[in-house]
Amino acid sequence: MTLSALPAGALALALLSHATVSAMPEQPHALTLDVHVHDGTVEIRLIGHSPRAQAVSYALEVTGQSTSRHRGATTLAADTRAVLSTMRTNVGADWCVRLAAEEEGRAPYEITRGPCAAG
């Protein structure tokens, strides 16, 4: 039996069974960095924002003239922007901000800002 001999509903089903369904685009990360440099000082805000409520954990490290670290875990409310951490430090020419983050149901990721991002 050829496809043209099938009833219309069966033909549609046969065609759909061979179609590939493209995956939905991946959502942006729930954790982001807002980094501002002014007069030798860097200010970092760790921002949490997710379309759904979810648990997140993070390790934030800022290196410059000294090293500062902050670790945390929290549950983000759906569609609510929150500042999870603010750090401010004096930096020289070489500074680096590193965020290691984990979200429910996603692979861990890292975000890097500063001159270390180029290296």
Side-chain angles (χ1 to χ4, degrees):
M1 175 183 267
T2 65
L3 285 179
S4 60
L6 292 173
L11 178 59
L13 184 60
L15 291 174
L16 285 176
S17 68
H18 293 291
T20 57
V21 178
S22 55
M24 295 196 56
E26 190 171 320
Q27 294 290 325
H29 294 301
L31 299 179
T32 58
L33 293 173
D34 183 21
V35 178
H36 297 279
V37 181
H38 182 69
D39 294 332
T41 300
V42 64
E43 181 177 296
I44 303 99
R45 277 187 231 108
L46 174 59
I47 308 295
H49 189 236
S50 174
R52 63 183 176 84
Q54 69 169 310
V56 296
S57 63
Y58 56 88
L60 182 61
E61 180 180 81
V62 181
T63 56
Q65 293 177 346
S66 63
T67 299
S68 299
R69 292 180 183 91
H70 179 219
R71 292 181 173 271
T74 191
T75 299
L76 300 175
D79 292 320
T80 304
R81 184 180 185 274
V83 177
L84 304 178
S85 180
T86 301
M87 298 173 79
R88 186 176 298 120
T89 188
N90 292 329
V91 293
D94 295 322
W95 59 275
C96 184
V97 178
R98 290 186 193 278
L99 170 67
E102 293 187 30
E103 301 177 22
E104 289 179 22
R106 295 180 84 169
Y109 58 94
E110 183 176 279
I111 298 173
T112 307
R113 297 285 187 270
C116 63

